[in-house]
Structure formats: structure tokens, C-alpha cells
Amino acid sequence: MFVLTIDQQRSRSTADRVPELLAALAAAVPEDAVPLAFERTVGDEIQGLCSTPTGALAVVRTAVRSGSWNIGVGIGPVHTPLPTSVRAATGPAFLRARAAVERAKTKATTVALAVEGPHSDDVEAVLQLVGALIARRSSAGWEVVDALVTRPDVTQAEVARALGISPQAVNQRLKAAMWSEETAILPVAEQLLAAADSDRRPA
């Protein structure tokens, strides 16, 4: 299982962004991948439980895109039966997520993200790379990427017409957004998360 604890940066000097991120997560993460829904746990912190690598990766990508979050990923077992609220759940993965988010707050990296659990060094390195690609993407890049993701069968020429730009401009934006690099690394990230989740030995 994957527990994600996400804490807002500079929460004392900025507006509460928890509702905004909760709404974004609800839209981006498949419901069947979240046995315990994300919710506010305390202050400006969010926590939830994902059962699949795809779901965990979607949470990380959404939080990074939203910006200004410390992200902790805990991998491992959780105690069952699961309660109705993540706030009442326990287990090694929850303890690891807590340790991870605290460590994320101290990292001098593009993305404040840390992972605790089996094979955490490898998983963290790849998630940091995915996060860095997302964090550097411009609004123009997101405009094209979102158009492609929303309709996977759409062509770049159709995206160009819809956005009122040239096909060459679409291609240039995708290159600047490093979309090909992200789509290439995502399966690797999912494989590493799956491998870490299958290794239930104490980390």
C-alpha cells in the first residue's frame, strides 16, 4: 500500500489551499485506487491511502503540479480491516509517510518529496525526476499537454486548430514541456513502486 502525507508549505503566510488540492486529487486519481479517500488530517495537511502504483503516481504528479507542497510517500503494509477514515488508519506505511514528509521539508531539491519503505532510494530518485519535469512546465506547455491527455486519440494538428496555433508551435511546446521524457519515465516509476510494494520486509 501507499500512504501519501502532503503538507502545505508556508501555510502560516499563505491562504489555505487544502480544498483546492483535495478537489484536484478527486478529479485526477481513480476512485478504485483509493481505498481511503484523501482528507485533511490536521492543519494544512492531507493524507490518503492508495492501493496501486498508478494511483500513487497520480497523487504525486497532481500535488507537484499544484505547487507548494511537501510530499511524503510511505510504502508498506497497513493494518486491516481499514477504518472509514484515513485519520483512524494505522500501520508501517503510515509511520513511513510521516517520516517521509518530515524529511521532504528539509530537502534542497526542486521538488520537496521523500519516500520511505522498501527500495525507497530508487523510488525517490525516479519520483524526483518526474516531479522536476512537471514543476518546470510552463502554462503554455500545460495547455498542450492537457489537450493531449484529455483526448488520447487527438492529433497534434487537431490540438493546434483547437488552440489557434500552428502544428509547429504545438511541437515546440511539447518539446519544451519534456512531455516525451515524462511519458517514457512514468512506466519505470510505476514498476519501481510496484516492486517496492511487493517487498513487505521491514525497511
Side-chain angles (χ1 to χ4, degrees), residues 26-174:
V29 186
E31 188 175 344
D32 59 1
V34 186
L36 288 178
F38 281 82
E39 58 181 289
R40 187 194 297 268
T41 49
V42 60
D44 295 313
E45 182 181 277
I46 296 168
Q47 189 173 68
L49 177 66
C50 289
S51 58
T52 68
T54 302
L57 190 53
V59 172
V60 169
R61 294 170 73 205
T62 301
V64 171
R65 179 175 181 177
S66 178
S68 301
W69 297 95
N70 300 305
I71 305 167
V73 182
I75 305 172
V78 300
H79 294 157
T80 56
L82 294 176
T84 57
S85 169
V86 71
R87 286 177 291 179
T90 58
F94 284 90
L95 297 176
R96 292 168 183 170
R98 169 57 52 201
V101 77
E102 292 302 323
R103 186 162 61 84
K105 297 175 183 180
T106 67
K107 290 179 68 67
T109 51
T110 301
V111 178
L113 179 149
V115 180
E116 296 288 339
H119 314 296
S120 57
D121 288 347
D122 292 341
V123 177
E124 184 174 310
V126 173
L127 291 185
Q128 282 282 354
L129 178 58
V130 172
L133 292 175
I134 292 171
R136 68 180 297 278
R137 188 166 294 153
S138 68
S139 57
W142 276 117
E143 188 176 41
V144 174
V145 167
D146 287 340
L148 290 173
V149 171
T150 303
R151 290 181 52 198
D153 58 334
V154 73
T155 66
Q156 290 190 24
E158 290 171 331
V159 170
R161 285 195 295 271
L163 297 180
I165 59 179
S166 69
Q168 292 81 5
V170 169
N171 186 261
Q172 290 169 358
R173 289 192 192 185
L174 288 174

